[in-house]
Amino acid sequence: MMQFDAHWGWGAMHGGGSLIWMLIAAVVIVVPFWRLLPKFGIPSWVSLLAVFPLAAVVLLWAMAFKDKGGQA
């Protein structure tokens, strides 16, 4: 069983690059929202909320039921 090491902290147990992987995941999630939201009349900056799972689901629902206008 791993124990907390006061010198290295919790990050040493999870690998040093976990922050980098979280940033990569955030970019992979935010970029598609950034490109899609303006097509639905929603400002691009709102896509930053998509890093939170509940907000991403709300944005998906908003896009699904928003009338894009002119399309059948």
Side-chain angles (χ1 to χ4, degrees):
M1 185 158 113
M2 296 185 130
Q3 294 180 346
F4 177 75
D5 183 5
H7 178 51
W8 292 101
W10 292 106
M13 293 190 310
H14 299 292
S18 62
L19 179 62
I20 293 170
W21 285 112
M22 286 191 306
L23 290 173
I24 291 170
V27 168
V28 167
I29 293 168
V30 169
V31 168
F33 278 104
W34 192 274
R35 300 283 310 266
L36 286 171
L37 288 178
K39 295 178 183 178
F40 293 91
I42 302 171
S44 294
W45 65 266
V46 177
S47 65
L48 297 175
L49 297 174
V51 296
F52 302 107
L54 183 60
V57 171
V58 170
L59 287 172
L60 286 172
W61 275 78
M63 289 188 301
F65 293 106
K66 181 112 171 144
D67 184 21
K68 275 181 78 171
Q71 292 187 355

